[in-house]
């Protein structure tokens, strides 16, 4: 067993200097000297002789931690232990369970412990019987954390700054009437209220007391939030309860109102929350506290006076601009699949078998193509659909990300595969398609019935019949109620139910689909059939030859001017995307059709689905030359 002389020899210091370090009298010693001695003491597990051991000023390398509520401090505790394990310290833990009586009992127990320091998270420092007593009667160092008391050196997570950042995020999204839900009995809650108020003031936004609520007194009622367009909460439980209540009232985040909450890191250890949150860095704070108490015990001073951290909002999943100023959007609903494209020289009617140049696998489907087409024309678009849980779905989700289209309304079905198709194209540009239903066949009408809020603030909805017809019917009905203009694209069906015609504003179909649905070969008769169903705008596509447009009683033909056809497969999707986008720009039907023909012509001059879709800059440039 080593003694003080051995330590002095190993550190090349005097026994007096070593004794000062061991007995915590380091004010006149350098940090380097203190660390040199303590390194040897910890390495050899040195314990003073009995006479020194009975002296409470001797080093024990033990710290006590009195926490207000251990359940809520677990990540702080984990951070502290990370530091203590590396620095050679032991930890005594006391849980006050939010009780001043239990806290006083815990403090009284410390009189029998030989500790170097105390990390204390007070329940109520002003009413503590032992506060003054432990300061006078003990020589150990005290580090206060998360206290209301402003007269002491106190380390805490900057909840006020977090609330300020969260409020500013909502203001950046153009919110001016933001409600705040906080806990008045917690430091976090009160600091949240302060940060919220300060941010409003800095942005010259009025503070309304009637839309600030104490979480404990919150009686759920939609009307109590008044005309608020966003809500900030200090605790995640409150945010989750608010969301559930609002959803039961058919009010959704962020379609109807935005929501941001603070959240303890421990809540997201299993899965990412579906609410926009600003995470509380409890574990990092615990590491900071651990380093500070060691510094205080060993050097009798603290270098940093404040815990500094970058506070970030995890995602924007429940944040959007207020719906009354939000740019109107288009919704595209229908088939999403992965396409296997084969290029051949001759049609299968001419030969029984032949070699293909190659096979290309890409994400596709009418709905996906059209959503990307509208996005390229810089319009707000949402895609609703269903895919499987497979490699094909990964490809589709990556494509949506690449084009900046939100995938929050894409359902991943683990019980089935993503739909697929085989597209056979000839050098002439002609093509034929074979589609498997896959996950598309499981898009239910109940989904739209329960989520009709998705159609809020929507100008146009394009829906194709590569999903169940009963779901299409439900979509058309909801759009009619919501005053959303509908564009129906019938495919793979032989009949449109009579009940649905009254809910269709624009009907877009190929000449083949028109023949199937009307049982007529002459285009004028096809138009008469659909007109008898009270459809005011009818578009029949002849592919690369052009399109017929009937508005009320007038029929007009828009001829394609493209001479060389490379790939015709994206023609209709390109036309429909541009047609919808231009209508959203308040073009007349005929003006929109003129733009759409340019987009369709552009598409058949290039190979591939997405590469052949026109962007806004190119469309505007071509239009300007005509």
């Amino acid at each position: 067993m080593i003694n003080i002389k051995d330590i002095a020899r190993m550190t090349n210091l005097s026994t007096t200097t070593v004794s000062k370090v061991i007995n915590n009298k380091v004010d006149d010693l350098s940090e380097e000297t203190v660390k040199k001695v303590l390194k040897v003491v910890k390495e050899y597990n040195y314990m003073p002789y009995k006479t020194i051991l009975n002296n409470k000023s001797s080093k024990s390398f033990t710290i006590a931690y009195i926490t207000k509520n251990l359940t809520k401090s677990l990540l702080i505790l984990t951070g502290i232990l990370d530091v203590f394990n590396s620095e050679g310290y032991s930890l005594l833990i006391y849980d006050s369970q939010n009780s001043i009586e239990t806290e006083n009992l815990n403090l009284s127990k410390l009189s029998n412990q030989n500790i170097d320091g105390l990390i204390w998270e007070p329940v109520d420092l002003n009413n503590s019987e032992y506060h003054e007593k432990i300061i006078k009667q003990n020589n150990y160092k005290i580090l206060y954390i998360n206290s209301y008391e402003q007269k002491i050196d106190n380390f805490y997570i900057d909840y006020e700054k977090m609330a300020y950042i969260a409020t500013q995020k909502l203001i950046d999204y153009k919110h001016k009437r933001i409600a705040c839900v906080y806990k008045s009995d917690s430091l976090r809650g009160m600091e949240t209220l302060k940060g919220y108020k300060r941010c409003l003031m800095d942005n010259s936004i009025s503070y309304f007391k009637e839309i600030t609520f104490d979480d404990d007194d919150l009686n759920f009622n939609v009307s109590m939030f008044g005309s608020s367009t966003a809500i900030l909460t200090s605790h995640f439980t409150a945010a989750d309860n608010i969301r559930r209540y609002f959803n039961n009232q058919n009010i959704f985040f962020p379609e109807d109102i935005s929501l941001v909450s603070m959240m303890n890191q421990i809540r997201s250890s299993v899965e990412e929350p579906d609410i926009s949150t600003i995470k509380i860095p409890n574990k990092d704070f615990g590491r900071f506290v651990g380093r500070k108490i060691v510094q205080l015990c060993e050097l009798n001073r603290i270098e940093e006076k404040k815990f500094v951290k970058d506070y970030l909002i995890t995602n924007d999943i429940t944040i959007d601009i207020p719906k009354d100023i939000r740019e109107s959007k288009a919704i595209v609903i229908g088939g999403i699949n992965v396409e296997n494209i084969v290029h051949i020289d001759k049609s299968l009617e001419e030969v029984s078998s032949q070699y293909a140049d190659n096979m290309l696998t890409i994400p596709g489907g009418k709905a996906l193509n059209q959503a990307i087409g509208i996005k390229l024309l810089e319009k707000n678009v949402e895609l609703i659909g269903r895919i499987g849980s497979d490699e094909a779905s990964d490809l589709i989700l990556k494509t949506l990300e690449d084009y900046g289209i939100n995938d929050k309304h894409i359902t991943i079905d683990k019980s089935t595969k993503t739909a697929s198709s085989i597209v056979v194209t000839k050098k002439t540009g002609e093509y034929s398609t074979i589609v498997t239903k896959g996950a598309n066949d499981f898009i239910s009408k109940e989904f739209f019935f329960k989520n009709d809020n998705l159609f809020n603030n929507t100008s146009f909805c394009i829906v194709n019949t590569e999903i169940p017809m009963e779901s299409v019917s439900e979509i058309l009905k909801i759009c009619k109620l919501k005053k959303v203009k509908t564009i129906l694209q019938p495919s793979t069906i032989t009949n449109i139910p009579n009940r649905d015609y009254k809910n269709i504003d624009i009907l877009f179909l190929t000449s083949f689909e028109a023949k199937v649905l009307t049982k007529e070969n002459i285009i004028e008769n096809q138009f008469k059939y659909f007109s008898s169903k009270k459809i005011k705008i009818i578009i029949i596509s002849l592919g690369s030859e052009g399109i017929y447009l009937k508005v009320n009683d007038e029929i007009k033909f828009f001829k394609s001017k493209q001479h060389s056809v490379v790939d015709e497969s994206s023609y209709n999707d390109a036309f429909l995307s541009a047609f919808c986008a231009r209508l959203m720009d308040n073009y007349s039907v005929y003006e929109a059709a003129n733009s759409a023909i340019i987009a369709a012509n552009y598409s058949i001059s290039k190979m591939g689905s997405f590469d052949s879709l026109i962007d806004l800059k190119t469309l505007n440039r071509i239009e300007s030359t005509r």
Side-chain angles (χ1 to χ4, degrees), residues 183-230:
K183 283 184 176 289
S184 62
D185 60 351
S186 81
L187 176 68
R188 189 204 307 183
M190 296 308 296
E191 291 297 301
T192 295
L193 185 61
K194 284 171 59 178
Y196 158 80
K197 287 181 176 180
R198 183 164 64 86
C199 187
L200 292 179
M201 182 177 67
D202 288 351
N203 285 275
S204 301
I205 295 175
S206 299
Y207 164 70
F208 296 99
K209 192 176 188 308
E210 64 268 23
I211 55 172
T212 58
F213 307 97
D214 187 339
D215 187 17
D216 292 334
D217 299 329
L218 189 63
N219 296 314
F220 284 112
N221 186 334
V222 171
S223 62
M224 69 189 298
F225 289 96
S227 57
S228 302
T229 60

Side-chain angles (χ1 to χ4, degrees), residues 75-76 157 159 162 263 265 279-286 307 309-311:
L75 276 180
I76 295 176
I157 295 171
Y159 298 118
M162 292 176 70
M263 185 187 72
Q265 288 172 322
K279 290 184 180 178
I280 302 168
N282 290 301
K283 192 171 183 179
D284 290 340
F285 179 62
F307 174 65
K309 184 73 177 175
D310 290 332
Y311 302 105

Side-chain angles (χ1 to χ4, degrees), residues 104-213:
N104 288 335
L105 179 62
N106 289 334
L107 288 166
S108 69
K109 292 176 183 177
L110 292 183
S111 60
N112 299 320
Q113 300 290 342
N114 182 21
I115 60 174
D116 294 345
L118 167 65
I119 302 169
W120 185 9
E121 183 182 26
V123 174
D124 184 354
L125 204 58
N126 292 324
N127 293 316
S128 174
E129 298 175 13
Y130 282 86
H131 184 210
E132 297 296 330
K133 189 181 298 184
I134 64 170
I135 291 175
K136 292 177 181 178
Q137 296 181 358
N138 296 281
N139 294 318
Y140 52 72
K141 307 298 182 183
I142 302 176
L143 189 75
Y144 301 95
I145 65 171
N146 295 334
S147 173
Y148 287 105
E149 180 57 59
Q150 300 298 315
K151 296 178 182 179
I152 59 171
D153 287 333
N154 175 40
F155 293 98
Y156 54 87
I157 295 171
D158 198 341
Y159 298 118
E160 181 182 349
K161 182 178 179 181
M162 292 176 70
Y164 190 103
I165 291 170
T167 306
Q168 187 64 55
K169 180 77 169 182
L170 292 169
I171 292 171
D172 291 343
Y173 268 83
K174 302 182 180 179
H175 291 278
K176 293 185 178 180
R177 190 172 174 87
I178 304 167
C180 180
V181 178
Y182 65 97
K183 283 184 176 289
S184 62
D185 60 351
S186 81
L187 176 68
R188 189 204 307 183
M190 296 308 296
E191 291 297 301
T192 295
L193 185 61
K194 284 171 59 178
Y196 158 80
K197 287 181 176 180
R198 183 164 64 86
C199 187
L200 292 179
M201 182 177 67
D202 288 351
N203 285 275
S204 301
I205 295 175
S206 299
Y207 164 70
F208 296 99
K209 192 176 188 308
E210 64 268 23
I211 55 172
T212 58
F213 307 97

Side-chain angles (χ1 to χ4, degrees), residues 45 139 146 198 240 253 330 376 414 421 450 463 495 623:
N45 198 24
N139 294 318
N146 295 334
R198 183 164 64 86
D240 198 34
F253 299 93
L376 286 171
K414 295 182 179 180
S421 67
K450 293 177 181 177
V463 56
N495 179 57
E623 276 189 322

